[in-house]
Amino acid sequence: MTLAEKPTPSDAAALGRSAADHLWMHFSRMGRYADSPVPVIVRGEGAYVYDDRGRRILDGLSGLFVVQVGHGRRELAEVAARQAETLAFFPVWGYAHPSAIQLAERLADLTPGDLNRVFFTTGGGEAVETAWKVAKQYFKLRGKPAKHKVISRMSAYHGTTQGALSITGLPAMKQDFEPLTPGGHRAPNTNIFRASVHRDDPEAFGRWAADRIEEAIVFEGPSTVAAVVIEPVQNSGGCFTAPQSYFARVREICDRHDVLLVSDEVITGFGRHGTTFACEKFGFVPDLITCAKGMTSGYSPIGAMIATDRVMEPFLADKVTFPHGYTFGGHPVSSAVALANLDIMEREGLNRRVLDNEGAFGATLDGLRDLPIVGDVRGDGYFWAVELVADASGTTLDADQRERIVRGFLPSALFEAGLYCRPDDRQDPVVQLAPPLTCGQAEFDEIEQVLRGVLAEAWSLL
């Protein structure tokens, strides 16, 4: 197709056909678009996006857990334009530029403890990849070269690069790409809804789950384990929270066995739970933080790994290099946008807004428990999941029901009803909700109303 033949934005049908013919979409069954149009989103404003047919859809997932301050913020676009006019690109490979310097200092001020050293990436998976590399080299520099393994949690998602995918605890996501980077090992997650022990005692369950991490470290051999990677609230499987006892015990275990604790905050960071980093809310200080997504509210891509002074210390020795980097890590435009985004969040008190409204959001969604298809509602902050079940005893949907309901019916039905969110069956099937942090009760009610209608219809199809 020549340039002159390419469809214009006003030609909605042609745009959809062109997407089906040329755009390889992520995590998508591309064959399905031979006979059905590709949804095309053309603009966003506040908590809503608009498609090429002019429909307004509530963005109940903040794009992909990203757009903290909402869509259409002219201020962020103007900051990006000014920075591009001044300095559009220069790498941080032995050089620096003002916006990366200022952002690194800002992030160091926002982290708990002495997490003072920021390594920029372009996204979350790269940040996790970087954290594993740092952990491996850190122990080599300390004279413990055998420490290279990582313990993560069952069904947890940490990225798609070969290293991050090894840390990911979803076998189905890995099987097409094996063999992967060796060294990834798993411990149970904190899904108390499906727990076989301590279901009525969250604190005891938290201690039990943490002890399984120590069990994995001991089984693999503490002299071989470099890091434990956990999300403060686990995404995959549907917003698994954990009590304070869990995080305190995991921190103790890592210290006892000289293992680095990594808080993967790619989703949970930047206000999603009412603090800049969720580890602060849940009462633990990690050795490394990985983050991305909400740092710029998606207005420009960036990610980061943030390390403590203790982790950084051996890298400051004479002639030591960390032989790792990304062309666009710490990009001037992205760094400038991140600074402006953090300004907006601070000026509008979005962390406080989440803390003030998280109870109302949870209570609104909790009302869906009267639907027979809803087995559990769980989450924290502006990050919640509704787990779907096949009967009153909590039986999970079988393979056929997942295919028909979770993959076949729900995505299009919710979108057609005016809600973009995430039906997900990488573990037990859930619908995930994570609206922009600017939302309030009006948007919570709209989310609940759409879910109620669509889930009731889904139940009739089971």
Side-chain angles (χ1 to χ4, degrees):
M1 180 181 287
T2 66
L3 184 62
E5 294 170 330
K6 288 184 177 180
T8 64
S10 62
D11 187 347
L15 270 177
R17 288 196 301 271
S18 182
D21 290 342
H22 302 294
L23 180 61
W24 196 338
M25 288 173 285
H26 300 196
F27 288 96
S28 300
R29 295 179 174 181
M30 293 303 299
R32 70 184 297 179
Y33 298 112
D35 301 314
S36 60
V38 175
V40 179
I41 305 301
V42 297
R43 71 182 182 93
E45 182 179 349
Y48 295 87
V49 294
Y50 296 78
D51 71 2
D52 54 0
R53 294 159 58 185
R55 294 179 302 177
R56 188 178 83 156
I57 299 103
L58 178 58
D59 183 358
L61 203 67
S62 300
L64 195 61
F65 317 106
V66 171
V67 190
Q68 317 296 62
V69 302
H71 298 275
R73 292 279 191 158
R74 181 179 296 274
E75 176 182 343
L76 297 181
E78 291 173 345
V79 165
R82 286 197 300 271
Q83 179 60 55
E85 290 174 350
T86 304
L87 179 66
F89 173 76
F90 208 78
V92 292
W93 295 42
Y95 298 84
H97 52 77
S99 59
I101 297 168
Q102 292 161 10
L103 180 58
E105 182 179 9
R106 182 84 167 267
L107 293 175
D109 288 342
L110 291 170
T111 55
D114 66 341
L115 286 126
N116 291 320
R117 192 69 63 148
V118 181
F119 187 102
F120 286 117
T121 67
T122 59
E126 290 177 355
V128 173
E129 194 85 11
T130 300
W132 194 359
K133 281 189 169 183
V134 164
K136 287 181 177 181
Q137 190 177 356
Y138 168 78
F139 283 112
K140 285 180 172 62
L141 292 171
R142 286 188 47 212
K144 297 183 176 184
K147 290 176 78 71
H148 68 282
K149 298 175 184 175
V150 173
I151 308 297
S152 58
R153 301 186 293 191
M154 294 175 183
S155 77
Y157 173 80
H158 294 287
T160 56
T161 59
Q162 290 283 302
L165 194 55
S166 293
I167 297 173
T168 291
L170 294 161
M173 286 192 65
K174 300 190 283 189
Q175 60 190 15
D176 290 333
F177 310 110
E178 293 173 327
L180 300 174
T181 305
H185 301 273
R186 235 62 61 209
N189 56 44
T190 60
N191 181 6
I192 195 169
F193 180 66
R194 296 289 180 184
S196 58
V197 297
H198 304 303
R199 288 193 63 176
D200 298 323
D201 188 342
E203 293 296 328
F205 174 73
R207 290 188 293 271
W208 174 88
D211 288 345
R212 303 290 73 75
I213 289 178
E214 182 166 40
E215 190 175 80
I217 293 171
V218 172
F219 180 81
E220 292 300 323
S223 64
T224 71
V225 178
V228 167
V229 179
I230 58 174
E231 298 163 279
V233 178
Q234 184 174 314
N235 167 37
S236 181
C239 299
F240 299 150
T241 58
Q244 294 278 359
S245 62
Y246 176 81
F247 299 106
R249 182 71 67 91
V250 172
R251 179 71 269 181
E252 292 171 4
I253 290 166
C254 289
D255 290 342
R256 181 159 55 247
H257 296 291
D258 193 19
V259 171
L260 298 182
L261 177 56
V262 183
S263 185
D264 183 350
E265 305 238 12
V266 173
I267 289 176
T268 61
F270 303 104
R272 181 58 52 188
H273 296 277
T275 52
T276 302
F277 295 104
C279 59
E280 183 177 0
K281 182 177 185 179
F282 294 106
F284 71 101
V285 178
D287 302 293
L288 300 170
I289 288 175
T290 58
C291 58
K293 294 188 183 289
M295 194 189 310
T296 63
S297 286
Y299 284 71
S300 192
I302 198 168
M305 182 221 65
I306 310 174
T308 62
D309 293 338
R310 177 173 71 93
V311 171
M312 187 66 200
E313 190 274 332
F315 292 91
L316 298 177
D318 186 39
K319 298 182 180 179
V320 172
T321 299
F322 180 42
H324 173 71
Y326 300 100
T327 298
F328 296 112
H331 191 281
V333 173
S334 295
S335 298
V337 171
L339 286 164
N341 178 64
L342 292 171
D343 286 343
I344 290 174
M345 294 187 67
E346 182 177 337
R347 184 173 70 240
E348 298 184 3
L350 293 186
N351 284 352
R352 184 71 256 168
R353 182 180 182 82
V354 170
L355 294 175
D356 289 344
N357 286 284
E358 62 179 342
F361 189 23
T364 302
L365 294 176
D366 206 56
L368 295 168
R369 289 180 183 270
D370 64 356
L371 297 174
I373 197 172
V374 173
D376 193 29
V377 176
R378 56 181 178 261
D380 183 86
Y382 275 32
F383 186 37
W384 290 79
V386 177
E387 182 166 335
L388 309 181
V389 295
D391 56 42
S393 67
T395 304
T396 193
L397 304 186
D398 63 27
D400 174 69
Q401 291 168 329
R402 292 179 187 218
E403 184 64 33
R404 288 190 297 109
I405 302 300
V406 182
R407 300 178 189 176
F409 172 72
L410 285 177
S412 59
L414 288 164
F415 191 80
E416 290 291 330
L419 175 64
Y420 165 70
C421 56
R422 189 181 198 182
D424 185 7
D425 70 338
R426 289 176 294 179
Q427 193 66 19
D428 294 300
V430 298
V431 177
Q432 287 185 301
L433 292 310
L437 310 188
T438 53
C439 289
Q441 191 61 53
E443 290 80 15
F444 303 159
D445 289 340
E446 185 175 350
I447 289 170
E448 190 273 344
Q449 289 163 15
V450 172
L451 283 174
R452 178 170 292 280
V454 173
L455 292 180
E457 186 176 356
W459 177 253
S460 71
L461 298 174
L462 282 177

